[in-house]
Amino acid sequence: MLSHNEIMQTIQMIDQQHLDVRTITMGISLLSCAHSDPEKACARIYDKITRSAEKLVVTGEEIEKEFGIPIVNKRISVTPVALVAAASETEDYVPFAKALDRAAKECGVNFIGGFSALVQKGMTEADRRLISAIPQALAETDIVCSSVNVGSTKAGIDMDAVALMGQTIKELAQRTAGRGGFGCAKLVVFCNAVEDNPFMAGAFHGVGEGERVINVGVSGPGVVHYALQSVKGEPFDVVAETIKKTAFRITRMGQLVAQEASRRLDTPFGIVDLSLAPTPAIGDSVARILEEMGLEVCGTHGTTAALALLNDAVKKGGVMASSSVGGLSGAFIPVSEDEGMIAAARSGALTIDKLEAMTCVCSVGLDMIAVPGDTPAETISAIIADEAAIGMVNSKTTAVRIIPAPGRKVGDMVEFGGLLGSAPVQAVHPFSSRDFVARGGRIPAPMQSLKN
């Protein structure tokens, strides 16, 4: 039973501190949709998604009204399409993306994820076809998101796939040049991708999941920032304990929404992902949390240590609150989606090198970063390889969502709008990685993989 004080605290968090349920995401298996005829496969995909998720949006809206808890997004994730399309006798996978787009729009959701391939150890012909389709597919659809997993602790890093993704990102940026390379904001390159992530653009419904599942992503940077204002000057163990207690309350709210959505949609409850996912709104920033710990500006010396404390405390608080914490659960640091990160990047304090160091201790990785449009594909591939190496060696999920903004140079701003915000174009190293990327092959799995 919630006490009166706990109820009032939750109301205050929602009204004044930007607490929200960032997303209710329904995962749907499309394995039963495979067919040798691609038109029949796409028809099956459309029918299954619209049948499974027809009440997702209205249910989310009902819960939002009844509980007074903002639910910002309703989303769908599906089985990696490369696995489903492999059965079809076609080399063109763009129609599969368009089928996803039509179905998602019919259901009224914000995004659908799963135009994906898992190539950490090698690529099938279906994987190659899907990756080659990504530029056209994401340029010609509105709400389809794509991801490619190029490495894992168990398998190592597929450098042929890494090289291919650098080229793919460049082509996608050119196809969406009129919107600042916006298509790249819908594409994530992973190492150690998880199967139950409710957040876009990296969500897909893993093959280890059931027929359908409800996953919820909760966000609360503003709540954590507000809580830390009451412990100014206190030692770090007090800071950690404060974050843990705050994360506990946020997670309990997320589980309540997830269980209610599960019941009403007659769909199993999967996980609550407690990730501090920021927005461009003032007061909803991960960077400002780090600065509240005593840093003059995010990116200065001490930032990585502060982020490590934050990420660990968030996870511990979430685990205390629920036995179904999953997804990524920690702190995201997407530059364009966090007003504090934008300010830090514009000031020069936050560079790509520092962001790479920070990704060693937080959720995901180099996220929503704009770079000059003339950045070579090999440089983008090398950035992906660096992030994948961090994930592989540390047995954690890392990712790259990078936008080589056509026609833009360092210091320019690229506007994406909405939750995607705006990003300052950041500098990359001018020195070539061409010969490194051209080697191809596979970086072997580390010793940490030998756990059997």
Side-chain angles (χ1 to χ4, degrees):
M1 180 69 68
L2 293 173
S3 68
H4 178 267
N5 184 52
E6 288 174 319
I7 293 171
M8 294 306 295
Q9 283 180 334
T10 302
I11 291 172
Q12 184 182 37
M13 288 191 294
I14 293 170
D15 287 347
Q16 302 174 21
Q17 301 161 27
H18 299 281
L19 177 62
D20 57 52
V21 170
R22 186 57 50 86
T23 178
I24 294 178
T25 301
M26 176 179 283
I28 303 171
S29 173
L30 298 184
L31 293 175
S32 62
C33 299
H35 196 283
S36 59
D37 184 334
E39 291 187 9
K40 291 183 179 178
C42 288
R44 286 182 174 186
I45 287 170
Y46 177 88
D47 290 343
K48 186 164 188 179
I49 292 172
T50 53
R51 184 173 65 251
S52 300
E54 62 177 339
K55 296 181 179 178
L56 176 62
V57 171
V58 68
T59 299
E61 291 171 347
E62 289 172 354
I63 294 171
E64 190 173 10
K65 291 176 182 177
E66 291 178 30
F67 289 81
I69 299 171
I71 301 174
V72 180
N73 291 288
K74 295 83 179 175
R75 299 165 172 168
I76 296 170
S77 63
V78 299
T79 308
V81 167
L83 299 177
V84 181
S88 297
E89 296 174 359
T90 179
E91 295 186 2
D92 182 9
Y93 284 7
V94 174
F96 290 89
K98 292 183 175 180
L100 296 179
D101 201 51
R102 289 195 305 273
K105 288 175 178 175
E106 177 65 24
C107 294
V109 297
N110 304 95
F111 286 106
I112 183 167
F115 194 71
S116 306
L118 309 177
V119 295
Q120 57 268 23
K121 199 172 182 180
M123 287 182 280
T124 65
E125 283 306 308
D127 294 325
R128 291 182 187 277
R129 290 168 184 166
L130 184 131
I131 292 171
S132 69
I134 286 174
Q136 182 182 351
L138 296 194
E140 296 182 3
T141 59
D142 297 313
I143 56 178
V144 173
C145 292
S146 180
S147 60
V148 177
N149 191 68
V150 299
S152 72
T153 300
K154 202 71 179 171
I157 302 172
D158 183 346
M159 289 299 294
D160 292 322
V162 168
L164 186 56
M165 290 313 300
Q167 299 164 14
T168 300
I169 290 168
K170 284 284 288 185
E171 183 181 345
L172 176 55
Q174 289 299 324
R175 283 180 176 265
T176 55
R179 292 178 287 168
F182 172 78
C184 298
K186 301 187 293 175
L187 172 61
V188 182
V189 184
F190 276 117
C191 177
N192 287 323
V194 298
E195 295 190 329
D196 55 4
N197 170 22
F199 287 103
M200 299 296 170
F204 63 86
H205 186 71
V207 294
E209 300 283 334
E211 195 67 25
R212 294 194 307 169
V213 68
I214 288 291
N215 296 321
V216 166
V218 182
S219 180
V223 181
V224 175
H225 183 214
Y226 180 85
L228 291 186
Q229 292 175 12
S230 66
V231 293
K232 287 184 182 293
E234 296 288 345
F236 282 115
D237 48 353
V238 175
V239 172
E241 194 65 23
T242 301
I243 296 171
K244 278 170 53 181
K245 290 177 180 178
T246 305
F248 177 88
R249 294 200 300 271
I250 294 170
T251 306
R252 293 293 285 178
M253 184 205 71
Q255 179 154 305
L256 170 68
V257 170
Q259 290 176 332
E260 188 64 22
S262 171
R263 182 183 67 81
R264 296 187 186 197
L265 292 166
D266 191 27
T267 300
F269 162 45
I271 55 94
V272 174
D273 184 326
L274 176 63
S275 289
L276 299 184
T279 72
I282 303 296
D284 200 25
S285 162
V286 170
R288 301 306 184 194
I289 297 173
L290 305 180
E291 292 168 358
E292 185 62 36
M293 293 186 198
L295 303 172
E296 181 179 357
V297 61
C298 178
T300 192
H301 303 298
T303 299
T304 305
L307 184 58
L309 183 153
L310 173 64
N311 208 57
D312 180 67
V314 165
K315 290 178 184 289
K316 287 175 178 173
V319 169
M320 286 195 301
S322 173
S323 60
S324 299
V325 171
L328 296 163
S329 291
F332 288 170
I333 51 172
V335 173
S336 79
E337 299 173 18
D338 186 310
E339 62 86 16
M341 295 287 180
I342 294 170
R346 297 193 74 174
S347 74
L350 189 64
T351 64
I352 290 180
D353 286 344
K354 185 59 177 178
L355 282 162
E356 182 182 303
M358 292 165 67
T359 64
C360 296
V361 299
C362 77
S363 292
V364 194
L366 295 173
D367 197 12
M368 286 303 293
I369 293 171
V371 297
D374 60 0
T375 302
E378 294 84 5
T379 297
I380 294 171
S381 294
I383 291 170
I384 292 169
D386 283 343
E387 272 301 299
I390 291 171
M392 176 184 70
V393 172
N394 291 286
S395 302
K396 70 184 295 293
T397 302
T398 52
V400 173
R401 188 161 48 145
I402 191 168
I403 301 100
R408 309 299 174 87
K409 61 182 184 300
V410 174
D412 291 345
M413 290 294 294
V414 186
E415 299 288 338
F416 300 114
L419 282 175
L420 296 176
S422 59
V425 177
Q426 296 182 257
V428 298
H429 288 293
F431 307 105
S432 176
S433 305
R434 183 186 303 273
D435 291 345
F436 173 79
V437 173
R439 286 179 178 271
R442 185 161 57 92
I443 294 178
M447 287 294 295
Q448 293 89 315
S449 68
L450 302 178
K451 292 182 179 180
N452 291 342

